[in-house]
Amino acid sequence: MTTTTPAIGSVTRTAPGGTDRRTPGSPRRRAGWAGLVFIVPGFALYLLVIGWPAVQALLISLRDYKITPGAESPWIGLANYTRALHDPVLARSFVNAGVYMLTTVPTQILIGLGLAVLLDTVLPGRTLFRVLFYLPVVTSWVVVSLLFQYLFATDHGVVNWFLVDVLGVVGHPVNWLGQRWTAMVAIGALGVWKGVGWSMLIFLAALTGVPRELHEAAALDGAGAWRRFKHVSMPFIRPTMVTVVILLVIGGFNVFTSVLLMTNGGPLDQTQVPLTYMYRQAFGYLDFGYGSAISFLLTGLVLVIAGLQYWWARRTADGGAK
Amino acid sequence: MIAGPRSRRVTVAGVRYALLIGAAVVLALPFGYMVSTSLKAHTLLLEYPPRLIPKSPTLDNYTQAWGANNFGRYFLNSASVAVATTVGTVLLASMMAYGFARFRFPGKGVLFGTVVVGLTIPTMLLIIPQFLLAKNLGLLDSLPGLVPFYVGTQIAFSTFLLRAFFEQIPMELDEAMVIDGAGAWRRYWNLAIPLSKPALATVAIFTFLGSWDEFVWALTVINDVSKRTLPIGIALFQGQHGTSWGLVFAASVIAVVPVIAVYVTFQRQLVAGLTNGALKS
Amino acid sequence: MFSTARRTALTAIGAAAALALTLTACSSGGGAGAAQTPIASAGATISGTVTFWHAYSADSQEVKTLETVIIPKFEQLHPGVKVTDVAVPYDQLHQKLVTAVAGDTLPDLVRSDIMWVPELADLGVLVPLDQQMPDFSTYSAQVYKGALATNAWKGHYYGLPLDTNTRVLLYNSDALAKAGITTPPATFADLRADAPKLTAAGVSTFADNSTSGWNVLPWIWSAGGAVTDDEVTKATGYLNSAASVAGVQLLVDLYKQKAIPDIILGGTGGTATSDGLATGKYATILDGPWMYPIFASQYPQFQLKAAPVPSGDGGSISVVGGESVVLTKSSKNKDAAAEFLRYLLSQDAQLAMAKVGQMPVLSNLGDQLTSINAYYGPFVTQLATARPRTPTPAWPKIDDILKAQIQKALQGDVSVQDALDQAAAQIDPLLAKYAG
């Protein structure tokens, strides 16, 4: 295997001459009907099981939808959307998810990347550490949310014990899960804890692709670890970084299970996020029209943000290259 | 710089280990708690405050969880669905990602945009339309019927991720193969796939986990008791008023084993860059 | 004062009046029902399969009794019939039912939470048993009235209760003794009198973990209040009556004196009612019969004791919980399904389930129950007057409104009167939507 596997390192060294060798038959120029052949099987399945249901859901959002087969579901145009735009709880839920996204995404990236860098080396016990860091990702949601409820419990919680008895920075136990922002802190902590193993794994895969000899060459030039990371690794994993950021931003806005299990949006809808609110409207009140409208508003917002990020990333990448 | 590179290297290794061990403790502790609770007998309520070391550990929960209502069967059901989903997703998503990363054709932007839109749509919302679709396709109450829905759900994410990795592969390699007369399929299979093993391994790990843990869809479409998947089996231990937490936690620990096995197997690919460097040969 | 007395009298006959009304309505609806295919009478020859969804947890005694005692016995009585039971995790049963409604894939029979029956009936997927089951009245006459009333929707009965329960006052006598109190609080006045003593002793007088209907209705009803009129058409004048206000005011006053802990606001993270009661942190809670096995396994040293819900001007009135069994319109084998339903309500099946903690719905079994499980006693007594939460498909929303408004009153943002005025004003249009 190792002999047939082309090594990335050899490529980078021949790269400068690469452009000269481009021929009319080069993949970059070739009109891509072959590309369509690669895309069609997966795309067809995707259209069938996600695309088609999504179109149905979009139509549901324009109706006063009744779930019983054969029941009349009158068209009501954009009424569900206008209702959503005037719903103060929904507005709060978007703010909560936005704050959650803004705080957890950078933290997850920093810690995940840090762990990946620490592990991207020949190191005794490497596999063990990789497994330990991945454990939060595979531990069941029910278990971890119970545990975080304990950590942030008011009376005997570890966090309060640490703050009140050990540090003495607050005089009395904090009612973490009973108030909006303190509860969001607990939910955010759970999100980061459960998520760092995920981003670590992707960064690890990306760092694996960084040619070793580039590092060695840089080291010979006297570059320290930080400079090697900044000038050798970072440019190489840049596309992965952009991808991870976009995926995490999408995931941040779509936070659901942790909120459902930790606070279920309460107390008084203070910790509601769009998906918990949507779930209650759809499956609690059977208002699928409104639930769908909420989902598509969320999708629209996330698409705009992800699109802006993508555009910005491409632009700065091009600017940096030329 | 000049003074003792060796002692410096030792310090660096020391700091590295200190950080790794600190992180490991924080990240692995809840899992330890899960294992510890699974060794405690008769816990209808959780111990409060929690205790990490059980007083009189017992494996009763494990034998009981495994023996209860066909647990072994659910395990096999989940395993076969997860393997099929992983193979299907990795194959189809890597092909799609390759198509998007390496070719230009009219409508590519629209197609890729559709994939990205799919990433942002909450799948919870799609349950009713998907259920009607599965009914029309005759895929209700069927284990193989779960697979296309699982692949479809995971394919957008996997394609998006793999495309970024494929773009990391220098174009010049493809061009070299074109000169040698290699067609698109050979460039995909003999070049992109072997070079992207770390990325494919990552996608495989996530896909396996996603399928293995999936709960809502399986619960919605599966009725036949013998076709249940593992997460349904575990959720059934949770009662309306009291839950046998020892059983839930023991079953959850059992469920983690294959996921870790898959992870350990595939993550070996994540050291490829350290060992196959061409300079060493 | 006059209005309070009037309300008390009215609500005392509330359940009976509601029942009389719905029964009148169904006899008048009989003409329409005659056109539909009636279900075979008891004892008719039946065959085929019956699918039954329920939410008994895996490995529980309930599911073992169902699968090894009840179903085999039934199949022995009816050799041509096969009953397939499907366990669905409780937390997901509602979602699964909703999807099955949309896909027209419901099973023959469902053991449904009593609060879902009006919703499912309104969706048009349930068989009105009073119209189509020839011997319906035989069964409806045998069960607790409060439990039966939960199956009514728009003048018809869409299910029969299968098991029932209610909340009584569970207390920790050691915790009470710390404040020199020897008997559990029997009235609202006792609670108010005990509170300062218990607070001084570092014990919460009462604890609960939410302000939903299940939690606060015993206080509203015991004070003589109500949520709606008997015809379930409006809340204004009922939920915000002086009597209803008095029930909630008790909770608010105790909360302000710190005699009720913060967990009543519904936030997670505080000490759970069960842990607090067993450890002496809370003196009293309201809870159901399932707590006995839980305490026995978790806190074997703790002596759990029960008393009636403390009474106010309206008496000692608790809330009915439990499950009903419903027959779906999409059932392909209604005759066999109805026969299994009848068997589930038979004395044999009810007593078998009673042994594993499910309280029977047959009111004449009350005396036998204490010999099966001594702890059933206080619950049987309480059930005699216990009432159902408002049977309406709008209940999930009404419940959330109640929860939110009472929380605001507890937090002191608004007065109890204002909170309940608000709640009633929000509930009225919901009821109107289903009234037509």
Side-chain angles (χ1 to χ4, degrees):
Chain A
M1 272 310 258
T2 34
T3 49
T4 55
T5 306
I8 291 179
S10 58
V11 177
T12 357
R13 280 183 296 147
T14 56
T19 38
D20 302 335
R21 285 185 285 140
R22 196 180 293 159
T23 62
S26 131
R28 234 180 265 210
R29 292 260 194 90
R30 181 177 291 186
W33 297 117
L36 265 185
V37 174
F38 278 96
I39 288 169
V40 160
F43 198 77
L45 177 72
Y46 171 75
L47 273 192
L48 179 71
V49 304
I50 302 287
W52 172 250
V55 170
Q56 298 297 310
L58 190 63
L59 296 177
I60 286 175
S61 76
L62 304 174
R63 290 172 181 268
D64 179 12
Y65 186 71
K66 307 282 193 302
I67 61 166
T68 323
E72 198 195 337
S73 299
W75 291 98
I76 53 170
L78 293 174
N80 282 323
Y81 290 90
T82 34
R83 180 180 154 201
L85 293 176
H86 293 95
D87 185 336
V89 178
L90 186 65
R92 191 191 300 138
S93 78
F94 273 97
V95 172
N96 284 343
V99 170
Y100 175 87
M101 187 278 287
L102 282 174
T103 49
T104 58
V105 173
T107 327
Q108 246 169 292
I109 298 232
L110 281 178
I111 302 178
L113 186 58
L115 293 179
V117 168
L118 285 176
L119 281 177
D120 180 41
T121 178
V122 181
L123 182 84
R126 186 181 54 204
T127 304
L128 177 68
F129 280 118
R130 287 184 176 181
V131 170
L132 291 176
F133 294 166
Y134 193 62
L135 281 179
V137 183
V138 301
T139 310
S140 96
W141 269 109
V142 173
V143 173
V144 297
S145 26
L146 278 169
L147 207 74
F148 270 72
Q149 284 189 358
Y150 279 148
L151 290 179
F152 286 94
T154 314
D155 298 324
H156 302 288
V158 177
V159 176
N160 275 343
W161 167 78
F162 194 70
L163 292 178
V164 178
D165 299 335
V166 179
L167 294 182
V169 287
V170 280
H172 57 92
V174 180
N175 182 9
W176 284 100
L177 297 170
Q179 311 162 57
R180 182 179 181 188
W181 295 115
T182 50
M184 290 311 294
V185 168
I187 291 166
L190 171 57
V192 169
W193 179 84
K194 195 120 171 43
V196 289
W198 183 89
S199 42
M200 171 204 78
L201 194 58
I202 299 181
F203 285 129
L204 207 47
L207 288 173
T208 305
V210 180
R212 204 86 206 133
E213 46 274 30
L214 288 185
H215 270 289
E216 283 162 10
L220 281 180
D221 292 345
W226 169 248
R227 279 188 54 205
R228 288 204 307 272
F229 172 72
K230 196 175 162 205
H231 295 292
V232 180
S233 303
M234 270 309 280
F236 213 87
I237 65 169
R238 194 193 161 82
T240 312
M241 176 66 89
V242 173
T243 307
V244 170
V245 170
I246 290 177
L247 286 172
L248 283 178
V249 166
I250 295 173
F253 273 108
N254 280 283
V255 56
F256 175 66
T257 317
S258 52
V259 179
L260 188 78
L261 293 173
M262 292 270 278
T263 64
N264 196 9
L268 271 180
D269 290 328
Q270 290 294 312
T271 58
Q272 211 69 259
V273 290
L275 287 198
T276 50
Y277 194 56
M278 179 276 273
Y279 186 77
R280 179 186 303 172
Q281 295 293 337
F283 290 96
Y285 303 157
L286 303 190
D287 197 344
F288 280 85
Y290 192 45
S292 300
I294 294 173
S295 297
F296 283 104
L297 282 177
L298 177 68
T299 299
L301 176 73
V302 173
L303 271 180
V304 167
I305 293 174
L308 282 176
Q309 277 180 302
Y310 192 73
W311 170 79
W312 183 76
R314 285 267 149 152
R315 211 180 72 119
T316 48
D318 289 353
K322 280 153 198 172
Chain B
M1 278 289 181
I2 308 155
R6 188 184 160 80
S7 72
R8 211 183 104 100
R9 213 175 295 155
V10 171
T11 326
V12 169
V15 171
R16 189 187 285 264
Y17 267 107
L19 286 172
L20 285 173
I21 290 170
V25 168
V26 172
L27 289 173
L29 208 60
F31 186 82
Y33 170 73
M34 178 163 91
V35 174
S36 134
T37 306
S38 71
L39 298 171
K40 296 173 191 165
H42 303 302
T43 33
L44 285 170
L45 294 171
L46 283 162
E47 230 173 354
Y48 189 81
R51 187 194 347 233
L52 202 56
I53 311 294
K55 243 190 281 176
S56 45
T58 162
L59 287 175
D60 284 1
N61 288 321
Y62 286 88
T63 47
Q64 211 180 330
W66 188 263
N69 66 104
N70 268 325
F71 205 72
R73 177 67 177 268
Y74 305 163
F75 197 87
L76 281 181
N77 289 346
S78 276
S80 43
V81 170
V83 168
T85 302
T86 308
V87 171
T89 306
V90 170
L91 184 70
L92 292 178
S94 63
M95 284 171 64
M96 268 170 87
Y98 189 72
F100 283 126
R102 279 299 190 258
F103 296 93
R104 281 185 183 175
F105 49 87
K108 176 174 146 179
V110 175
L111 292 189
F112 189 67
T114 315
V115 172
V116 175
V117 172
L119 276 176
T120 63
I121 293 182
T123 47
M124 182 86 63
L125 167 81
L126 305 181
I127 279 192
I128 286 189
Q130 282 181 327
F131 188 79
L132 296 174
L133 175 73
K135 190 187 174 198
N136 291 333
L137 296 174
L139 295 178
L140 289 184
D141 211 9
S142 142
L143 279 175
L146 293 176
V147 177
F149 285 90
Y150 285 180
V151 174
T153 309
Q154 308 225 30
I155 205 167
F157 161 77
S158 307
T159 304
F160 194 67
L161 195 62
L162 284 173
R163 178 175 167 272
F165 279 99
F166 285 151
E167 286 191 337
Q168 234 173 313
I169 300 173
M171 193 59 112
E172 288 74 16
L173 275 183
D174 290 60
E175 288 162 5
M177 280 187 83
V178 169
I179 293 170
D180 295 344
W185 181 259
R186 262 186 61 202
R187 295 200 301 276
Y188 159 75
W189 192 252
N190 290 341
L191 177 77
I193 290 290
L195 273 185
S196 310
K197 274 187 187 165
L200 294 169
T202 308
V203 167
I205 289 169
F206 288 148
T207 313
F208 186 90
L209 176 68
S211 162
W212 185 262
D213 274 359
E214 202 287 328
F215 174 56
V216 176
W217 178 249
L219 176 98
T220 307
V221 297
I222 298 289
N223 293 325
D224 188 333
V225 174
S226 67
K227 291 176 188 158
R228 281 181 188 145
T229 55
L230 205 55
I232 304 179
I234 296 176
L236 278 170
F237 287 126
Q238 279 175 269
Q240 186 180 355
H241 301 299
T243 293
S244 323
W245 288 111
L247 286 180
V248 171
F249 282 33
S252 304
V253 173
I254 295 174
V256 162
V257 173
V259 180
I260 293 295
V262 164
Y263 174 70
V264 171
T265 313
F266 280 105
Q267 68 91 38
R268 283 179 201 284
Q269 298 299 330
L270 304 193
V271 299
L274 301 179
T275 53
N276 77 353
L279 281 186
K280 282 176 198 145
S281 53
Chain C
M1 266 304 123
F2 168 72
S3 73
T4 312
R6 199 177 63 92
R7 282 250 37 81
T8 314
L10 256 183
T11 43
I13 56 163
L19 186 80
L21 186 105
T22 41
L23 284 180
T24 326
C26 57
S27 55
S28 69
Q36 290 163 301
T37 325
I39 297 160
S41 19
T45 317
I46 50 169
S47 61
T49 57
V50 174
T51 309
F52 174 48
W53 286 4
H54 58 80
Y56 297 121
S57 61
D59 217 44
S60 65
Q61 294 303 312
E62 291 98 318
V63 86
K64 277 178 192 151
T65 304
L66 178 71
E67 290 176 351
T68 62
V69 179
I70 294 178
I71 292 177
K73 185 76 190 296
F74 176 76
E75 288 177 344
Q76 195 189 329
L77 290 170
H78 303 276
V81 182
K82 168 141 183 43
V83 177
T84 310
D85 76 297
V86 178
V88 180
Y90 175 79
D91 286 344
Q92 282 79 31
L93 180 56
H94 185 255
Q95 184 255 313
K96 183 156 165 120
L97 286 172
V98 166
T99 322
V101 168
D104 197 18
T105 54
L106 283 168
D108 302 291
L109 294 171
V110 181
R111 174 182 180 260
S112 158
D113 188 302
I114 51 175
M115 294 319 294
W116 303 336
V117 178
E119 178 185 76
L120 291 170
D122 187 62
L123 290 172
V125 296
L126 299 185
V127 170
L129 291 180
D130 54 353
Q131 280 183 303
Q132 298 201 23
M133 193 169 150
D135 49 351
F136 175 79
S137 55
T138 318
Y139 292 89
S140 60
Q142 294 176 29
V143 299
Y144 289 108
K145 300 285 168 264
L148 179 69
T150 62
N151 294 285
W153 174 236
K154 287 197 176 169
H156 291 288
Y157 286 104
Y158 288 86
L160 278 165
L162 181 61
D163 52 77
T164 188
N165 58 60
T166 187
R167 309 176 89 206
V168 301
L169 191 81
L170 301 179
Y171 65 97
N172 182 329
S173 47
D174 293 342
L176 287 171
K178 269 204 235 169
I181 301 164
T182 51
T183 52
T187 62
F188 284 17
D190 288 351
L191 275 170
R192 288 184 188 274
D194 290 349
K197 296 183 226 164
L198 285 163
T199 308
V203 176
S204 296
T205 306
F206 171 75
D208 210 340
N209 57 13
S210 171
T211 50
S212 74
W214 174 251
N215 306 85
V216 300
L217 283 177
W219 303 106
I220 291 179
W221 286 330
S222 296
V227 180
T228 66
D229 56 339
D230 297 332
E231 295 78 24
V232 194
T233 56
K234 62 195 213 19
T236 300
Y238 299 88
L239 183 58
N240 56 350
S241 70
S244 299
V245 169
V248 177
Q249 192 68 52
L250 173 73
L251 296 177
V252 171
D253 291 346
L254 291 176
Y255 178 76
K256 279 190 186 148
Q257 299 171 43
K258 304 218 174 288
I260 294 179
D262 273 342
I263 55 168
I264 197 167
L265 295 175
T268 44
T271 306
T273 52
S274 47
D275 292 315
L277 185 72
T279 54
K281 197 171 151 65
Y282 309 149
T284 67
I285 64 172
L286 291 186
D287 222 325
W290 50 83
M291 292 312 291
Y292 278 82
I294 290 176
F295 279 121
S297 84
Q298 217 60 36
Y299 295 99
Q301 317 297 330
F302 172 55
Q303 285 282 314
L304 179 60
K305 291 179 180 161
V309 171
S311 50
D313 292 346
S316 163
I317 316 278
S318 192
V319 57
V320 171
E323 275 74 25
S324 284
V325 55
V326 295
L327 174 62
T328 65
K329 274 189 184 160
S330 58
S331 166
K332 300 271 188 299
N333 196 354
K334 294 195 180 66
D335 293 346
E339 193 62 33
F340 185 60
L341 192 161
R342 290 182 185 107
Y343 185 71
L344 286 172
L345 284 171
S346 71
Q347 201 152 320
D348 279 359
Q350 289 276 308
L351 285 174
M353 288 310 261
K355 289 187 186 122
V356 291
Q358 299 280 301
M359 281 190 74
V361 291
L362 304 176
S363 50
N364 63 355
L365 291 182
D367 299 338
Q368 292 180 54
L369 290 186
T370 41
S371 61
I372 293 173
N373 268 326
Y375 63 72
Y376 280 147
F379 295 94
V380 172
T381 315
Q382 192 81 61
L383 268 176
T385 56
R387 287 184 207 158
R389 285 156 283 174
T390 316
T392 161
W395 178 256
K397 278 189 184 174
I398 295 178
D399 208 16
D400 282 344
I401 292 167
L402 264 182
K403 210 188 288 180
Q405 292 298 339
I406 296 177
Q407 272 187 45
K408 284 184 188 163
L410 283 167
Q411 288 175 325
D413 299 345
V414 291
S415 70
V416 174
Q417 184 70 58
D418 288 350
L420 294 183
D421 284 347
Q422 262 291 321
Q426 289 171 14
I427 291 169
D428 280 342
L430 296 174
L431 296 175
K433 209 173 127 190
Y434 290 101

